[in-house]
Amino acid sequence: MGHLSGKVALVTGGSRGIGRGIAVRLARDGALVAVHYGRNEEAAKKTVADITEAGGRAFVVGAELGVDGDVDTLVTGLEAGLGAYGEQAVDILVHNAGLNLMGRPIEVLTPEEFDRMVAVNVKAPFFLTQRLLPRLRDGGRIIAISSVSTRVASAHGIGYPLTKGALDVFSHTLAKYLGPRGITVNSVTVGFTDTDMTADVHADPANRERNISLTALGRIGQVPDIADAVAFLASDDARWITGTKIDVTGGVNL
């Protein structure tokens, strides 16, 4: 469509699943996209290759989140990639990378597991945003990928929704702080979605039918459903939307 031409985007966790879909969509709309990955460099390179083959522009940034020096490593790679394209600033920051340790109720969740999820899902987005604020152009966009488990109690564990709830509060508060710069900050709430990471869950017919029955629109979400919503928030059409959560779940548990 080209309405993001001249814009620069960073998508964390952009090599697979929803992150990949977001990266591809933003590139299709004209943005130069930094595709971040934590461990799967091959998948990130494949995403970049697909973008470039379609006429878009993208580059890979590798940095494992949740470890010491993660933000330093990511920003160093980002700066190198931007420099290769003659860019210095970022317009769109998508916090998509996340860690979900399923099946860990409060009785069994360990301090180490809790700390890992907080480090990836809360600490990394917080300090990455802090580092990039001087590089984020006025009128920019920050978009956090959240979870329906922040409004629907999950039987799979308490740690993940807790961290996503913290990310929602971070986004809501940051929206007010960055308002004078014209930077919007919003969250996108994701429900049951088909990705390579949920393939095992949805391969069970009983689980799939249960999740469909809980969704008002009567199907499992697809990656483009989420990517299109993120692209909208990244566009000028969403210039007057900030500090809110967009529910992109197809109506889970209405």
Side-chain angles (χ1 to χ4, degrees), residues 1-5 7 9 11 18-31 33 91-94 140-145 184 186-188 223-239 241 246 248:
M1 298 179 185
H3 60 262
L4 294 181
S5 294
K7 305 292 187 182
V11 181
I18 290 171
R20 171 188 163 86
I22 293 169
V24 169
R25 174 59 199 267
L26 295 181
R28 194 177 81 199
D29 287 352
V33 181
D91 300 279
I92 302 159
L93 172 58
V94 182
R141 303 283 188 265
I142 300 175
I143 303 162
I145 304 303
T184 68
N186 294 289
S187 297
V188 170
V223 168
D225 296 326
I226 313 304
D228 291 351
V230 172
F232 165 69
L233 288 174
S235 75
D236 190 58
D237 290 343
R239 61 191 174 276
I241 301 173
I246 305 295
V248 191

Short mmCIF file of all heavy atoms in Angstrom, two decimals, residues 1-5 7 9 11 18-31 33 91-94 140-145 184 186-188 223-239 241 246 248:
data_model
loop_
_atom_site.label_atom_id
_atom_site.label_comp_id
_atom_site.label_asym_id
_atom_site.label_seq_id
_atom_site.Cartn_x
_atom_site.Cartn_y
_atom_site.Cartn_z
N MET A 1 0.81 -1.21 0.00
CA MET A 1 0.00 0.00 0.00
C MET A 1 0.85 1.26 0.00
O MET A 1 0.45 2.29 -0.51
CB MET A 1 -0.94 0.00 1.21
CG MET A 1 -1.95 -1.15 1.22
SD MET A 1 -3.00 -1.09 2.68
CE MET A 1 -3.93 -2.60 2.47
N GLY A 2 2.02 1.20 0.65
CA GLY A 2 2.95 2.32 0.59
C GLY A 2 2.73 3.42 1.60
O GLY A 2 3.49 4.39 1.62
N HIS A 3 1.71 3.29 2.49
CA HIS A 3 1.46 4.40 3.41
C HIS A 3 2.46 4.45 4.56
O HIS A 3 2.42 5.38 5.37
CB HIS A 3 0.03 4.37 3.94
CG HIS A 3 -0.33 3.14 4.70
ND1 HIS A 3 -1.01 2.09 4.13
CD2 HIS A 3 -0.11 2.79 5.98
CE1 HIS A 3 -1.20 1.14 5.03
NE2 HIS A 3 -0.65 1.53 6.16
N LEU A 4 3.38 3.49 4.62
CA LEU A 4 4.47 3.55 5.61
C LEU A 4 5.81 3.82 4.94
O LEU A 4 6.86 3.65 5.57
CB LEU A 4 4.53 2.25 6.42
CG LEU A 4 3.34 1.95 7.32
CD1 LEU A 4 3.56 0.65 8.09
CD2 LEU A 4 3.06 3.10 8.31
N SER A 5 5.79 4.24 3.70
CA SER A 5 7.04 4.56 2.99
C SER A 5 7.80 5.64 3.74
O SER A 5 7.22 6.63 4.20
CB SER A 5 6.73 5.05 1.57
OG SER A 5 6.17 4.00 0.80
N LYS A 7 9.18 5.13 6.59
CA LYS A 7 9.15 4.79 8.01
C LYS A 7 10.11 3.63 8.29
O LYS A 7 10.40 2.82 7.43
CB LYS A 7 7.74 4.39 8.46
CG LYS A 7 6.67 5.44 8.17
CD LYS A 7 6.85 6.68 9.01
CE LYS A 7 5.66 7.62 8.81
NZ LYS A 7 5.83 8.87 9.59
N ALA A 9 10.73 0.47 11.12
CA ALA A 9 10.08 -0.31 12.17
C ALA A 9 11.03 -1.34 12.74
O ALA A 9 11.85 -1.92 12.02
CB ALA A 9 8.83 -1.00 11.63
N VAL A 11 10.57 -4.89 14.91
CA VAL A 11 9.63 -5.89 15.43
C VAL A 11 10.43 -6.91 16.22
O VAL A 11 11.22 -7.67 15.64
CB VAL A 11 8.86 -6.58 14.28
CG1 VAL A 11 7.88 -7.60 14.87
CG2 VAL A 11 8.13 -5.56 13.43
N ILE A 18 3.39 -14.68 14.88
CA ILE A 18 2.75 -13.38 14.77
C ILE A 18 3.76 -12.30 14.44
O ILE A 18 3.50 -11.41 13.63
CB ILE A 18 2.00 -13.05 16.08
CG1 ILE A 18 0.78 -13.97 16.22
CG2 ILE A 18 1.57 -11.59 16.12
CD1 ILE A 18 0.08 -13.88 17.56
N GLY A 19 4.95 -12.36 15.03
CA GLY A 19 5.98 -11.37 14.75
C GLY A 19 6.38 -11.35 13.30
O GLY A 19 6.56 -10.28 12.70
N ARG A 20 6.53 -12.52 12.71
CA ARG A 20 6.85 -12.61 11.29
C ARG A 20 5.74 -11.96 10.45
O ARG A 20 6.01 -11.20 9.52
CB ARG A 20 7.03 -14.07 10.88
CG ARG A 20 7.16 -14.27 9.36
CD ARG A 20 7.13 -15.75 8.99
NE ARG A 20 6.84 -15.92 7.57
CZ ARG A 20 7.77 -15.90 6.61
NH1 ARG A 20 9.04 -15.73 6.93
NH2 ARG A 20 7.43 -16.05 5.34
N GLY A 21 4.50 -12.28 10.79
CA GLY A 21 3.37 -11.70 10.06
C GLY A 21 3.36 -10.19 10.13
O GLY A 21 3.07 -9.50 9.14
N ILE A 22 3.67 -9.65 11.31
CA ILE A 22 3.72 -8.20 11.48
C ILE A 22 4.83 -7.60 10.64
O ILE A 22 4.65 -6.58 9.96
CB ILE A 22 3.90 -7.85 12.97
CG1 ILE A 22 2.65 -8.25 13.77
CG2 ILE A 22 4.20 -6.36 13.15
CD1 ILE A 22 2.84 -8.19 15.27
N ALA A 23 6.01 -8.22 10.69
CA ALA A 23 7.16 -7.71 9.94
C ALA A 23 6.85 -7.68 8.44
O ALA A 23 7.13 -6.69 7.74
CB ALA A 23 8.40 -8.56 10.21
N VAL A 24 6.28 -8.77 7.93
CA VAL A 24 5.95 -8.86 6.51
C VAL A 24 4.92 -7.80 6.13
O VAL A 24 5.04 -7.14 5.09
CB VAL A 24 5.44 -10.27 6.17
CG1 VAL A 24 4.84 -10.32 4.77
CG2 VAL A 24 6.58 -11.28 6.29
N ARG A 25 3.91 -7.61 6.97
CA ARG A 25 2.86 -6.64 6.66
C ARG A 25 3.40 -5.21 6.67
O ARG A 25 3.09 -4.40 5.78
CB ARG A 25 1.70 -6.78 7.65
CG ARG A 25 0.62 -5.72 7.50
CD ARG A 25 -0.01 -5.71 6.11
NE ARG A 25 -0.69 -4.45 5.85
CZ ARG A 25 -1.98 -4.22 6.08
NH1 ARG A 25 -2.75 -5.19 6.56
NH2 ARG A 25 -2.51 -3.05 5.80
N LEU A 26 4.20 -4.86 7.67
CA LEU A 26 4.75 -3.50 7.74
C LEU A 26 5.67 -3.22 6.55
O LEU A 26 5.67 -2.12 6.00
CB LEU A 26 5.49 -3.29 9.05
CG LEU A 26 4.65 -3.35 10.33
CD1 LEU A 26 5.53 -3.10 11.55
CD2 LEU A 26 3.49 -2.37 10.30
N ALA A 27 6.43 -4.24 6.16
CA ALA A 27 7.30 -4.08 4.98
C ALA A 27 6.47 -3.91 3.72
O ALA A 27 6.80 -3.11 2.84
CB ALA A 27 8.23 -5.27 4.85
N ARG A 28 5.39 -4.66 3.61
CA ARG A 28 4.51 -4.55 2.45
C ARG A 28 3.90 -3.14 2.36
O ARG A 28 3.65 -2.64 1.27
CB ARG A 28 3.38 -5.58 2.55
CG ARG A 28 2.62 -5.78 1.25
CD ARG A 28 1.58 -6.87 1.41
NE ARG A 28 0.38 -6.37 2.06
CZ ARG A 28 -0.53 -7.13 2.65
NH1 ARG A 28 -0.36 -8.43 2.72
NH2 ARG A 28 -1.60 -6.60 3.20
N ASP A 29 3.71 -2.52 3.52
CA ASP A 29 3.16 -1.17 3.55
C ASP A 29 4.23 -0.10 3.33
O ASP A 29 3.92 1.08 3.40
CB ASP A 29 2.44 -0.92 4.87
CG ASP A 29 1.12 -1.68 4.96
OD1 ASP A 29 0.70 -2.27 3.95
OD2 ASP A 29 0.51 -1.69 6.04
N GLY A 30 5.48 -0.53 3.11
CA GLY A 30 6.52 0.41 2.74
C GLY A 30 7.59 0.69 3.77
O GLY A 30 8.55 1.41 3.48
N ALA A 31 7.46 0.14 4.98
CA ALA A 31 8.45 0.41 6.03
C ALA A 31 9.72 -0.40 5.82
O ALA A 31 9.68 -1.53 5.30
CB ALA A 31 7.87 0.10 7.41
N VAL A 33 12.07 -2.64 7.77
CA VAL A 33 11.78 -3.40 8.97
C VAL A 33 13.03 -4.10 9.51
O VAL A 33 13.69 -4.86 8.79
CB VAL A 33 10.69 -4.45 8.72
CG1 VAL A 33 10.37 -5.22 10.00
CG2 VAL A 33 9.42 -3.78 8.19
N ASP A 91 10.60 4.77 13.68
CA ASP A 91 9.25 5.33 13.74
C ASP A 91 8.27 4.41 14.45
O ASP A 91 7.31 4.88 15.07
CB ASP A 91 8.72 5.59 12.32
CG ASP A 91 9.57 6.56 11.55
OD1 ASP A 91 9.42 7.78 11.74
OD2 ASP A 91 10.40 6.08 10.74
N ILE A 92 8.48 3.10 14.32
CA ILE A 92 7.52 2.11 14.82
C ILE A 92 8.27 1.06 15.62
O ILE A 92 9.20 0.42 15.12
CB ILE A 92 6.78 1.43 13.66
CG1 ILE A 92 6.05 2.46 12.79
CG2 ILE A 92 5.80 0.38 14.18
CD1 ILE A 92 5.74 1.97 11.40
N LEU A 93 7.87 0.88 16.87
CA LEU A 93 8.47 -0.13 17.75
C LEU A 93 7.39 -1.10 18.17
O LEU A 93 6.41 -0.71 18.82
CB LEU A 93 9.09 0.55 18.97
CG LEU A 93 9.61 -0.36 20.09
CD1 LEU A 93 10.66 -1.33 19.58
CD2 LEU A 93 10.16 0.49 21.24
N VAL A 94 7.54 -2.36 17.77
CA VAL A 94 6.55 -3.39 18.10
C VAL A 94 7.17 -4.37 19.08
O VAL A 94 8.11 -5.10 18.75
CB VAL A 94 6.07 -4.14 16.85
CG1 VAL A 94 5.01 -5.18 17.24
CG2 VAL A 94 5.50 -3.17 15.82
N GLY A 140 5.76 9.01 16.34
CA GLY A 140 5.98 7.58 16.15
C GLY A 140 4.93 6.71 16.81
O GLY A 140 3.93 7.20 17.35
N ARG A 141 5.18 5.42 16.76
CA ARG A 141 4.23 4.43 17.28
C ARG A 141 4.96 3.39 18.13
O ARG A 141 6.01 2.87 17.73
CB ARG A 141 3.54 3.68 16.13
CG ARG A 141 2.80 4.59 15.14
CD ARG A 141 1.48 5.06 15.74
NE ARG A 141 0.68 5.76 14.75
CZ ARG A 141 0.67 7.08 14.61
NH1 ARG A 141 1.45 7.84 15.35
NH2 ARG A 141 -0.13 7.65 13.70
N ILE A 142 4.39 3.06 19.28
CA ILE A 142 4.83 1.93 20.08
C ILE A 142 3.63 1.02 20.25
O ILE A 142 2.55 1.47 20.67
CB ILE A 142 5.38 2.36 21.45
CG1 ILE A 142 6.58 3.28 21.29
CG2 ILE A 142 5.75 1.13 22.28
CD1 ILE A 142 7.12 3.84 22.59
N ILE A 143 3.79 -0.26 19.89
CA ILE A 143 2.69 -1.21 19.91
C ILE A 143 3.15 -2.47 20.65
O ILE A 143 4.16 -3.07 20.28
CB ILE A 143 2.24 -1.57 18.49
CG1 ILE A 143 1.83 -0.30 17.72
CG2 ILE A 143 1.08 -2.57 18.53
CD1 ILE A 143 1.79 -0.48 16.22
N ALA A 144 2.43 -2.83 21.70
CA ALA A 144 2.77 -4.01 22.48
C ALA A 144 1.77 -5.13 22.20
O ALA A 144 0.56 -4.89 22.16
CB ALA A 144 2.77 -3.68 23.97
N ILE A 145 2.28 -6.33 22.01
CA ILE A 145 1.40 -7.48 21.79
C ILE A 145 1.07 -8.10 23.15
O ILE A 145 1.95 -8.60 23.85
CB ILE A 145 2.06 -8.52 20.87
CG1 ILE A 145 2.45 -7.87 19.55
CG2 ILE A 145 1.10 -9.69 20.65
CD1 ILE A 145 1.31 -7.21 18.79
N THR A 184 2.09 7.66 19.80
CA THR A 184 1.01 6.87 20.35
C THR A 184 1.55 5.54 20.88
O THR A 184 2.51 4.99 20.35
CB THR A 184 -0.08 6.58 19.30
OG1 THR A 184 0.42 5.70 18.29
CG2 THR A 184 -0.56 7.86 18.65
N ASN A 186 -0.03 1.80 22.25
CA ASN A 186 -1.21 0.96 22.39
C ASN A 186 -0.82 -0.51 22.53
O ASN A 186 0.28 -0.90 22.17
CB ASN A 186 -2.13 1.12 21.18
CG ASN A 186 -2.71 2.51 21.06
OD1 ASN A 186 -3.57 2.91 21.84
ND2 ASN A 186 -2.23 3.28 20.08
N SER A 187 -1.77 -1.29 23.04
CA SER A 187 -1.59 -2.74 23.13
C SER A 187 -2.58 -3.44 22.19
O SER A 187 -3.69 -2.94 21.97
CB SER A 187 -1.85 -3.24 24.56
OG SER A 187 -0.93 -2.69 25.47
N VAL A 188 -2.17 -4.58 21.68
CA VAL A 188 -3.04 -5.43 20.86
C VAL A 188 -3.24 -6.74 21.60
O VAL A 188 -2.27 -7.46 21.86
CB VAL A 188 -2.44 -5.68 19.47
CG1 VAL A 188 -3.22 -6.76 18.73
CG2 VAL A 188 -2.42 -4.39 18.65
N VAL A 223 -2.67 -15.36 11.65
CA VAL A 223 -1.64 -14.33 11.83
C VAL A 223 -2.00 -13.02 11.14
O VAL A 223 -1.82 -11.95 11.74
CB VAL A 223 -0.26 -14.86 11.36
CG1 VAL A 223 0.75 -13.73 11.26
CG2 VAL A 223 0.24 -15.94 12.32
N PRO A 224 -2.51 -13.03 9.91
CA PRO A 224 -2.87 -11.75 9.29
C PRO A 224 -3.93 -10.96 10.06
O PRO A 224 -3.97 -9.72 9.96
CB PRO A 224 -3.39 -12.16 7.90
CG PRO A 224 -2.69 -13.44 7.61
CD PRO A 224 -2.63 -14.15 8.94
N ASP A 225 -4.79 -11.65 10.82
CA ASP A 225 -5.77 -10.93 11.64
C ASP A 225 -5.07 -9.99 12.62
O ASP A 225 -5.53 -8.87 12.87
CB ASP A 225 -6.64 -11.92 12.42
CG ASP A 225 -7.48 -12.82 11.54
OD1 ASP A 225 -7.93 -12.35 10.48
OD2 ASP A 225 -7.69 -13.99 11.92
N ILE A 226 -3.97 -10.47 13.19
CA ILE A 226 -3.22 -9.67 14.15
C ILE A 226 -2.36 -8.64 13.43
O ILE A 226 -2.32 -7.46 13.80
CB ILE A 226 -2.32 -10.57 15.02
CG1 ILE A 226 -3.10 -11.79 15.54
CG2 ILE A 226 -1.73 -9.76 16.17
CD1 ILE A 226 -4.35 -11.47 16.31
N ALA A 227 -1.67 -9.07 12.39
CA ALA A 227 -0.77 -8.18 11.67
C ALA A 227 -1.50 -6.99 11.07
O ALA A 227 -0.98 -5.86 11.07
CB ALA A 227 -0.04 -8.95 10.57
N ASP A 228 -2.70 -7.21 10.58
CA ASP A 228 -3.47 -6.12 10.00
C ASP A 228 -3.84 -5.08 11.05
O ASP A 228 -3.84 -3.86 10.77
CB ASP A 228 -4.74 -6.65 9.33
CG ASP A 228 -4.45 -7.46 8.07
OD1 ASP A 228 -3.28 -7.46 7.62
OD2 ASP A 228 -5.38 -8.09 7.54
N ALA A 229 -4.17 -5.54 12.26
CA ALA A 229 -4.50 -4.61 13.33
C ALA A 229 -3.29 -3.78 13.74
O ALA A 229 -3.39 -2.57 13.99
CB ALA A 229 -5.06 -5.37 14.54
N VAL A 230 -2.13 -4.43 13.80
CA VAL A 230 -0.89 -3.71 14.13
C VAL A 230 -0.57 -2.69 13.04
O VAL A 230 -0.19 -1.56 13.33
CB VAL A 230 0.28 -4.70 14.31
CG1 VAL A 230 1.60 -3.95 14.47
CG2 VAL A 230 0.04 -5.59 15.52
N ALA A 231 -0.75 -3.09 11.78
CA ALA A 231 -0.49 -2.17 10.67
C ALA A 231 -1.40 -0.94 10.75
O ALA A 231 -0.98 0.18 10.45
CB ALA A 231 -0.68 -2.88 9.34
N PHE A 232 -2.65 -1.15 11.16
CA PHE A 232 -3.56 -0.03 11.34
C PHE A 232 -3.05 0.93 12.41
O PHE A 232 -2.98 2.14 12.21
CB PHE A 232 -4.95 -0.54 11.71
CG PHE A 232 -5.86 0.53 12.27
CD1 PHE A 232 -6.33 1.56 11.47
CD2 PHE A 232 -6.22 0.52 13.61
CE1 PHE A 232 -7.15 2.56 11.99
CE2 PHE A 232 -7.03 1.50 14.15
CZ PHE A 232 -7.51 2.52 13.33
N LEU A 233 -2.65 0.37 13.56
CA LEU A 233 -2.15 1.22 14.64
C LEU A 233 -0.86 1.94 14.26
O LEU A 233 -0.57 3.01 14.77
CB LEU A 233 -1.93 0.39 15.90
CG LEU A 233 -3.18 -0.09 16.62
CD1 LEU A 233 -2.82 -1.02 17.77
CD2 LEU A 233 -4.01 1.09 17.14
N ALA A 234 -0.09 1.34 13.35
CA ALA A 234 1.16 1.96 12.90
C ALA A 234 0.92 3.05 11.87
O ALA A 234 1.81 3.87 11.62
CB ALA A 234 2.08 0.89 12.30
N SER A 235 -0.27 3.08 11.31
CA SER A 235 -0.56 4.02 10.23
C SER A 235 -1.07 5.36 10.75
O SER A 235 -1.43 5.50 11.92
CB SER A 235 -1.62 3.42 9.29
OG SER A 235 -2.91 3.47 9.89
N ASP A 236 -1.16 6.31 9.85
CA ASP A 236 -1.68 7.63 10.22
C ASP A 236 -3.17 7.57 10.52
O ASP A 236 -3.70 8.46 11.20
CB ASP A 236 -1.41 8.62 9.08
CG ASP A 236 -1.72 10.06 9.49
OD1 ASP A 236 -1.12 10.53 10.48
OD2 ASP A 236 -2.58 10.71 8.85
N ASP A 237 -3.86 6.54 10.05
CA ASP A 237 -5.28 6.40 10.34
C ASP A 237 -5.53 6.27 11.84
O ASP A 237 -6.64 6.58 12.32
CB ASP A 237 -5.86 5.17 9.63
CG ASP A 237 -5.95 5.35 8.13
OD1 ASP A 237 -5.88 6.51 7.66
OD2 ASP A 237 -6.07 4.34 7.42
N ALA A 238 -4.53 5.80 12.59
CA ALA A 238 -4.69 5.59 14.04
C ALA A 238 -4.05 6.72 14.85
O ALA A 238 -3.75 6.55 16.03
CB ALA A 238 -4.08 4.25 14.44
N ARG A 239 -3.87 7.87 14.22
CA ARG A 239 -3.16 8.99 14.87
C ARG A 239 -3.84 9.48 16.15
O ARG A 239 -3.19 10.09 17.00
CB ARG A 239 -3.01 10.14 13.88
CG ARG A 239 -4.33 10.71 13.39
CD ARG A 239 -4.16 11.66 12.22
NE ARG A 239 -5.45 12.09 11.69
CZ ARG A 239 -6.16 11.39 10.80
NH1 ARG A 239 -5.69 10.23 10.37
NH2 ARG A 239 -7.32 11.83 10.36
N ILE A 241 -5.52 7.54 18.35
CA ILE A 241 -5.74 6.41 19.26
C ILE A 241 -4.47 6.20 20.07
O ILE A 241 -3.40 5.92 19.52
CB ILE A 241 -6.06 5.12 18.47
CG1 ILE A 241 -7.31 5.31 17.62
CG2 ILE A 241 -6.23 3.94 19.43
CD1 ILE A 241 -7.59 4.14 16.70
N ILE A 246 -6.50 -2.73 22.01
CA ILE A 246 -7.37 -3.16 20.92
C ILE A 246 -7.53 -4.67 21.04
O ILE A 246 -6.57 -5.43 20.94
CB ILE A 246 -6.77 -2.80 19.56
CG1 ILE A 246 -6.46 -1.30 19.48
CG2 ILE A 246 -7.70 -3.22 18.43
CD1 ILE A 246 -7.66 -0.40 19.53
N VAL A 248 -8.14 -7.98 19.65
CA VAL A 248 -8.11 -8.64 18.35
C VAL A 248 -8.18 -10.14 18.58
O VAL A 248 -7.25 -10.89 18.26
CB VAL A 248 -6.84 -8.22 17.56
CG1 VAL A 248 -6.93 -8.69 16.10
CG2 VAL A 248 -6.67 -6.70 17.58
#
